[in-house]
PDB file of all heavy atoms in Angstrom:
ATOM      1  N   ALA A   1      33.345   8.952  65.718  1.00 98.00           N
ATOM      2  CA  ALA A   1      34.087   8.586  66.815  1.00 98.00           C
ATOM      3  C   ALA A   1      35.474   8.248  66.379  1.00 98.00           C
ATOM      4  O   ALA A   1      35.740   7.803  65.305  1.00 98.00           O
ATOM      5  CB  ALA A   1      33.484   7.497  67.639  1.00 98.00           C
ATOM      6  N   GLY A   2      36.390   8.559  67.296  1.00 98.00           N
ATOM      7  CA  GLY A   2      37.842   8.121  67.021  1.00 98.00           C
ATOM      8  C   GLY A   2      38.631   8.202  68.117  1.00 98.00           C
ATOM      9  O   GLY A   2      38.255   8.553  69.300  1.00 98.00           O
ATOM     10  N   TYR A   3      39.894   7.747  67.874  1.00 98.00           N
ATOM     11  CA  TYR A   3      40.947   7.819  68.963  1.00 98.00           C
ATOM     12  C   TYR A   3      42.301   8.253  68.267  1.00 98.00           C
ATOM     13  O   TYR A   3      42.473   8.025  67.162  1.00 98.00           O
ATOM     14  CB  TYR A   3      41.134   6.522  69.705  1.00 98.00           C
ATOM     15  CG  TYR A   3      41.511   5.235  68.929  1.00 98.00           C
ATOM     16  CD1 TYR A   3      42.795   5.092  68.503  1.00 98.00           C
ATOM     17  CD2 TYR A   3      40.581   4.333  68.670  1.00 98.00           C
ATOM     18  CE1 TYR A   3      43.176   4.008  67.796  1.00 98.00           C
ATOM     19  CE2 TYR A   3      40.901   3.127  67.942  1.00 98.00           C
ATOM     20  CZ  TYR A   3      42.253   3.026  67.551  1.00 98.00           C
ATOM     21  OH  TYR A   3      42.579   1.872  66.924  1.00 98.00           O
ATOM     22  N   ILE A   4      43.093   8.923  69.067  1.00 98.00           N
ATOM     23  CA  ILE A   4      44.439   9.300  68.688  1.00 98.00           C
ATOM     24  C   ILE A   4      45.464   8.608  69.568  1.00 98.00           C
ATOM     25  O   ILE A   4      45.342   8.737  70.721  1.00 98.00           O
ATOM     26  CB  ILE A   4      44.653  10.845  68.645  1.00 98.00           C
ATOM     27  CG1 ILE A   4      43.516  11.416  67.823  1.00 98.00           C
ATOM     28  CG2 ILE A   4      45.975  11.232  68.267  1.00 98.00           C
ATOM     29  CD1 ILE A   4      43.107  12.887  68.337  1.00 98.00           C
ATOM     30  N   LEU A   5      46.314   7.921  68.997  1.00 97.00           N
ATOM     31  CA  LEU A   5      47.397   7.142  69.687  1.00 97.00           C
ATOM     32  C   LEU A   5      48.658   7.845  69.669  1.00 97.00           C
ATOM     33  O   LEU A   5      49.153   7.996  68.554  1.00 97.00           O
ATOM     34  CB  LEU A   5      47.453   5.816  69.207  1.00 97.00           C
ATOM     35  CG  LEU A   5      48.533   4.781  69.894  1.00 97.00           C
ATOM     36  CD1 LEU A   5      48.238   4.610  71.305  1.00 97.00           C
ATOM     37  CD2 LEU A   5      48.590   3.477  69.026  1.00 97.00           C
ATOM     38  N   TYR A   6      49.230   8.149  70.881  1.00 94.00           N
ATOM     39  CA  TYR A   6      50.519   8.849  70.869  1.00 94.00           C
ATOM     40  C   TYR A   6      51.606   7.836  71.366  1.00 94.00           C
ATOM     41  O   TYR A   6      51.743   7.479  72.507  1.00 94.00           O
ATOM     42  CB  TYR A   6      50.583   9.970  71.754  1.00 94.00           C
ATOM     43  CG  TYR A   6      49.391  10.958  71.699  1.00 94.00           C
ATOM     44  CD1 TYR A   6      48.259  10.900  72.624  1.00 94.00           C
ATOM     45  CD2 TYR A   6      49.380  11.830  70.571  1.00 94.00           C
ATOM     46  CE1 TYR A   6      47.323  11.893  72.436  1.00 94.00           C
ATOM     47  CE2 TYR A   6      48.272  12.708  70.406  1.00 94.00           C
ATOM     48  CZ  TYR A   6      47.330  12.746  71.332  1.00 94.00           C
ATOM     49  OH  TYR A   6      46.165  13.526  71.187  1.00 94.00           O
ATOM     50  N   GLY A   7      52.159   7.011  70.343  1.00 90.00           N
ATOM     51  CA  GLY A   7      53.062   5.975  70.618  1.00 90.00           C
ATOM     52  C   GLY A   7      54.366   6.161  69.843  1.00 90.00           C
ATOM     53  O   GLY A   7      54.932   7.263  69.859  1.00 90.00           O
ATOM     54  N   THR A   8      54.858   5.068  69.307  1.00 89.00           N
ATOM     55  CA  THR A   8      56.072   5.208  68.481  1.00 89.00           C
ATOM     56  C   THR A   8      55.874   6.127  67.297  1.00 89.00           C
ATOM     57  O   THR A   8      56.765   6.614  66.699  1.00 89.00           O
ATOM     58  CB  THR A   8      56.506   3.847  67.989  1.00 89.00           C
ATOM     59  OG1 THR A   8      55.397   3.058  67.373  1.00 89.00           O
ATOM     60  CG2 THR A   8      57.083   2.903  69.100  1.00 89.00           C
ATOM     61  N   SER A   9      54.582   6.219  66.813  1.00 94.00           N
ATOM     62  CA  SER A   9      54.072   7.160  65.888  1.00 94.00           C
ATOM     63  C   SER A   9      52.771   7.715  66.416  1.00 94.00           C
ATOM     64  O   SER A   9      52.165   6.992  67.254  1.00 94.00           O
ATOM     65  CB  SER A   9      53.997   6.603  64.417  1.00 94.00           C
ATOM     66  OG  SER A   9      53.129   5.487  64.444  1.00 94.00           O
ATOM     67  N   THR A  10      52.360   8.773  65.909  1.00 96.00           N
ATOM     68  CA  THR A  10      51.011   9.354  66.312  1.00 96.00           C
ATOM     69  C   THR A  10      50.010   8.899  65.181  1.00 96.00           C
ATOM     70  O   THR A  10      50.093   9.211  63.984  1.00 96.00           O
ATOM     71  CB  THR A  10      51.037  10.847  66.371  1.00 96.00           C
ATOM     72  OG1 THR A  10      51.996  11.151  67.407  1.00 96.00           O
ATOM     73  CG2 THR A  10      49.661  11.385  66.735  1.00 96.00           C
ATOM     74  N   LEU A  11      48.922   8.230  65.591  1.00 97.00           N
ATOM     75  CA  LEU A  11      47.956   7.655  64.789  1.00 97.00           C
ATOM     76  C   LEU A  11      46.637   8.145  65.013  1.00 97.00           C
ATOM     77  O   LEU A  11      46.158   8.253  66.223  1.00 97.00           O
ATOM     78  CB  LEU A  11      47.944   6.109  64.943  1.00 97.00           C
ATOM     79  CG  LEU A  11      47.251   5.209  63.822  1.00 97.00           C
ATOM     80  CD1 LEU A  11      47.942   5.386  62.583  1.00 97.00           C
ATOM     81  CD2 LEU A  11      47.182   3.778  64.316  1.00 97.00           C
ATOM     82  N   PHE A  12      45.835   8.672  63.940  1.00 98.00           N
ATOM     83  CA  PHE A  12      44.580   9.318  64.135  1.00 98.00           C
ATOM     84  C   PHE A  12      43.565   8.279  63.387  1.00 98.00           C
ATOM     85  O   PHE A  12      43.675   8.043  62.215  1.00 98.00           O
ATOM     86  CB  PHE A  12      44.507  10.609  63.381  1.00 98.00           C
ATOM     87  CG  PHE A  12      43.260  11.454  63.574  1.00 98.00           C
ATOM     88  CD1 PHE A  12      43.324  12.604  64.317  1.00 98.00           C
ATOM     89  CD2 PHE A  12      42.071  11.046  63.092  1.00 98.00           C
ATOM     90  CE1 PHE A  12      42.213  13.399  64.493  1.00 98.00           C
ATOM     91  CE2 PHE A  12      40.921  11.867  63.202  1.00 98.00           C
ATOM     92  CZ  PHE A  12      40.959  12.962  64.046  1.00 98.00           C
ATOM     93  N   VAL A  13      42.717   7.567  64.322  1.00 98.00           N
ATOM     94  CA  VAL A  13      41.769   6.571  63.797  1.00 98.00           C
ATOM     95  C   VAL A  13      40.394   7.005  63.981  1.00 98.00           C
ATOM     96  O   VAL A  13      40.054   7.528  65.074  1.00 98.00           O
ATOM     97  CB  VAL A  13      42.090   5.241  64.518  1.00 98.00           C
ATOM     98  CG1 VAL A  13      41.079   4.183  64.072  1.00 98.00           C
ATOM     99  CG2 VAL A  13      43.425   4.738  64.328  1.00 98.00           C
ATOM    100  N   TYR A  14      39.599   6.958  62.988  1.00 98.00           N
ATOM    101  CA  TYR A  14      38.118   7.398  63.242  1.00 98.00           C
ATOM    102  C   TYR A  14      37.207   6.688  62.222  1.00 98.00           C
ATOM    103  O   TYR A  14      37.596   6.169  61.198  1.00 98.00           O
ATOM    104  CB  TYR A  14      38.013   8.955  63.095  1.00 98.00           C
ATOM    105  CG  TYR A  14      37.939   9.415  61.701  1.00 98.00           C
ATOM    106  CD1 TYR A  14      36.650   9.934  61.239  1.00 98.00           C
ATOM    107  CD2 TYR A  14      38.878   9.553  60.791  1.00 98.00           C
ATOM    108  CE1 TYR A  14      36.471  10.425  59.903  1.00 98.00           C
ATOM    109  CE2 TYR A  14      38.849  10.102  59.532  1.00 98.00           C
ATOM    110  CZ  TYR A  14      37.543  10.559  59.111  1.00 98.00           C
ATOM    111  OH  TYR A  14      37.430  10.989  57.783  1.00 98.00           O
ATOM    112  N   THR A  15      35.914   6.795  62.509  1.00 97.00           N
ATOM    113  CA  THR A  15      34.893   6.259  61.728  1.00 97.00           C
ATOM    114  C   THR A  15      33.680   7.266  61.717  1.00 97.00           C
ATOM    115  O   THR A  15      33.483   7.981  62.578  1.00 97.00           O
ATOM    116  CB  THR A  15      34.395   4.820  62.361  1.00 97.00           C
ATOM    117  OG1 THR A  15      33.299   4.464  61.443  1.00 97.00           O
ATOM    118  CG2 THR A  15      33.821   5.024  63.670  1.00 97.00           C
ATOM    119  N   THR A  16      32.968   7.220  60.634  1.00 96.00           N
ATOM    120  CA  THR A  16      31.668   7.956  60.464  1.00 96.00           C
ATOM    121  C   THR A  16      30.662   7.011  60.241  1.00 96.00           C
ATOM    122  O   THR A  16      29.438   7.497  59.717  1.00 96.00           O
ATOM    123  CB  THR A  16      31.728   8.974  59.260  1.00 96.00           C
ATOM    124  OG1 THR A  16      32.074   8.280  58.108  1.00 96.00           O
ATOM    125  CG2 THR A  16      32.731  10.020  59.582  1.00 96.00           C
ATOM    126  N   GLY A  17      30.781   5.676  60.494  1.00 96.00           N
ATOM    127  CA  GLY A  17      29.800   4.686  60.248  1.00 96.00           C
ATOM    128  C   GLY A  17      29.926   4.007  58.942  1.00 96.00           C
ATOM    129  O   GLY A  17      29.100   3.159  58.485  1.00 96.00           O
ATOM    130  N   ASN A  18      30.994   4.230  58.310  1.00 94.00           N
ATOM    131  CA  ASN A  18      31.436   3.598  56.968  1.00 94.00           C
ATOM    132  C   ASN A  18      32.701   2.924  56.969  1.00 94.00           C
ATOM    133  O   ASN A  18      33.589   3.195  56.105  1.00 94.00           O
ATOM    134  CB  ASN A  18      31.275   4.585  55.841  1.00 94.00           C
ATOM    135  CG  ASN A  18      29.850   5.072  55.624  1.00 94.00           C
ATOM    136  OD1 ASN A  18      28.935   4.394  55.177  1.00 94.00           O
ATOM    137  ND2 ASN A  18      29.507   6.317  55.893  1.00 94.00           N
ATOM    138  N   GLY A  19      33.042   2.230  58.019  1.00 96.00           N
ATOM    139  CA  GLY A  19      34.335   1.560  58.217  1.00 96.00           C
ATOM    140  C   GLY A  19      35.192   2.472  58.995  1.00 96.00           C
ATOM    141  O   GLY A  19      34.932   3.505  59.421  1.00 96.00           O
ATOM    142  N   VAL A  20      36.460   1.925  59.234  1.00 97.00           N
ATOM    143  CA  VAL A  20      37.396   2.525  60.215  1.00 97.00           C
ATOM    144  C   VAL A  20      38.729   2.776  59.360  1.00 97.00           C
ATOM    145  O   VAL A  20      39.191   1.873  58.717  1.00 97.00           O
ATOM    146  CB  VAL A  20      37.705   1.654  61.415  1.00 97.00           C
ATOM    147  CG1 VAL A  20      38.680   2.370  62.407  1.00 97.00           C
ATOM    148  CG2 VAL A  20      36.391   1.361  62.154  1.00 97.00           C
ATOM    149  N   ASN A  21      39.263   3.968  59.489  1.00 97.00           N
ATOM    150  CA  ASN A  21      40.512   4.266  58.779  1.00 97.00           C
ATOM    151  C   ASN A  21      41.574   4.936  59.699  1.00 97.00           C
ATOM    152  O   ASN A  21      41.032   5.721  60.627  1.00 97.00           O
ATOM    153  CB  ASN A  21      40.334   5.224  57.548  1.00 97.00           C
ATOM    154  CG  ASN A  21      39.521   4.452  56.542  1.00 97.00           C
ATOM    155  OD1 ASN A  21      40.033   3.747  55.628  1.00 97.00           O
ATOM    156  ND2 ASN A  21      38.187   4.829  56.409  1.00 97.00           N
ATOM    157  N   GLY A  22      42.668   4.608  59.571  1.00 97.00           N
ATOM    158  CA  GLY A  22      43.838   5.216  60.408  1.00 97.00           C
ATOM    159  C   GLY A  22      44.880   5.953  59.646  1.00 97.00           C
ATOM    160  O   GLY A  22      45.257   5.683  58.534  1.00 97.00           O
ATOM    161  N   PHE A  23      45.269   7.184  60.217  1.00 98.00           N
ATOM    162  CA  PHE A  23      46.176   8.019  59.645  1.00 98.00           C
ATOM    163  C   PHE A  23      47.425   8.253  60.435  1.00 98.00           C
ATOM    164  O   PHE A  23      47.134   8.710  61.683  1.00 98.00           O
ATOM    165  CB  PHE A  23      45.537   9.358  59.222  1.00 98.00           C
ATOM    166  CG  PHE A  23      44.280   9.292  58.418  1.00 98.00           C
ATOM    167  CD1 PHE A  23      43.026   8.825  58.861  1.00 98.00           C
ATOM    168  CD2 PHE A  23      44.347   9.602  57.019  1.00 98.00           C
ATOM    169  CE1 PHE A  23      41.903   8.686  58.147  1.00 98.00           C
ATOM    170  CE2 PHE A  23      43.216   9.407  56.229  1.00 98.00           C
ATOM    171  CZ  PHE A  23      42.023   8.995  56.692  1.00 98.00           C
ATOM    172  N   THR A  24      48.593   8.061  59.822  1.00 97.00           N
ATOM    173  CA  THR A  24      49.798   8.305  60.723  1.00 97.00           C
ATOM    174  C   THR A  24      50.461   9.625  60.359  1.00 97.00           C
ATOM    175  O   THR A  24      50.544  10.153  59.270  1.00 97.00           O
ATOM    176  CB  THR A  24      50.824   7.108  60.353  1.00 97.00           C
ATOM    177  OG1 THR A  24      50.242   5.939  60.762  1.00 97.00           O
ATOM    178  CG2 THR A  24      52.105   7.355  61.211  1.00 97.00           C
ATOM    179  N   LEU A  25      50.831  10.291  61.453  1.00 96.00           N
ATOM    180  CA  LEU A  25      51.427  11.565  61.395  1.00 96.00           C
ATOM    181  C   LEU A  25      52.878  11.552  60.931  1.00 96.00           C
ATOM    182  O   LEU A  25      53.787  10.837  61.513  1.00 96.00           O
ATOM    183  CB  LEU A  25      51.365  12.337  62.678  1.00 96.00           C
ATOM    184  CG  LEU A  25      52.051  13.666  62.841  1.00 96.00           C
ATOM    185  CD1 LEU A  25      51.279  14.639  61.959  1.00 96.00           C
ATOM    186  CD2 LEU A  25      52.116  14.242  64.289  1.00 96.00           C
ATOM    187  N   ASN A  26      53.268  12.286  59.886  1.00 95.00           N
ATOM    188  CA  ASN A  26      54.592  12.462  59.453  1.00 95.00           C
ATOM    189  C   ASN A  26      55.115  13.710  60.244  1.00 95.00           C
ATOM    190  O   ASN A  26      54.619  14.930  59.739  1.00 95.00           O
ATOM    191  CB  ASN A  26      54.813  12.755  57.952  1.00 95.00           C
ATOM    192  CG  ASN A  26      56.128  12.913  57.512  1.00 95.00           C
ATOM    193  OD1 ASN A  26      57.002  13.330  58.350  1.00 95.00           O
ATOM    194  ND2 ASN A  26      56.504  12.747  56.343  1.00 95.00           N
ATOM    195  N   PRO A  27      55.836  13.685  61.435  1.00 91.00           N
ATOM    196  CA  PRO A  27      56.192  14.902  62.119  1.00 91.00           C
ATOM    197  C   PRO A  27      56.975  15.909  61.370  1.00 91.00           C
ATOM    198  O   PRO A  27      57.007  17.126  61.738  1.00 91.00           O
ATOM    199  CB  PRO A  27      56.778  14.231  63.364  1.00 91.00           C
ATOM    200  CG  PRO A  27      57.396  12.966  62.904  1.00 91.00           C
ATOM    201  CD  PRO A  27      56.407  12.479  61.880  1.00 91.00           C
ATOM    202  N   ALA A  28      57.680  15.441  60.396  1.00 92.00           N
ATOM    203  CA  ALA A  28      58.601  16.338  59.676  1.00 92.00           C
ATOM    204  C   ALA A  28      57.876  17.483  58.951  1.00 92.00           C
ATOM    205  O   ALA A  28      58.311  18.508  58.817  1.00 92.00           O
ATOM    206  CB  ALA A  28      59.424  15.562  58.668  1.00 92.00           C
ATOM    207  N   ILE A  29      56.634  17.108  58.508  1.00 93.00           N
ATOM    208  CA  ILE A  29      55.889  18.112  57.737  1.00 93.00           C
ATOM    209  C   ILE A  29      54.465  18.368  58.341  1.00 93.00           C
ATOM    210  O   ILE A  29      53.676  19.008  57.839  1.00 93.00           O
ATOM    211  CB  ILE A  29      55.674  17.713  56.283  1.00 93.00           C
ATOM    212  CG1 ILE A  29      55.123  16.301  56.097  1.00 93.00           C
ATOM    213  CG2 ILE A  29      57.024  17.764  55.519  1.00 93.00           C
ATOM    214  CD1 ILE A  29      54.815  15.960  54.717  1.00 93.00           C
ATOM    215  N   GLY A  30      54.188  17.618  59.457  1.00 93.00           N
ATOM    216  CA  GLY A  30      52.885  17.855  60.194  1.00 93.00           C
ATOM    217  C   GLY A  30      51.689  17.477  59.414  1.00 93.00           C
ATOM    218  O   GLY A  30      50.674  18.056  59.594  1.00 93.00           O
TER     219      GLY A  30
END
């Protein structure tokens, strides 16, 4: 499960049942 936050930066947060990790989008290189 996860969520994507479109705010001051775009953040992709998800879990597979082994903790939660978040990834921030660098829009310059996608």
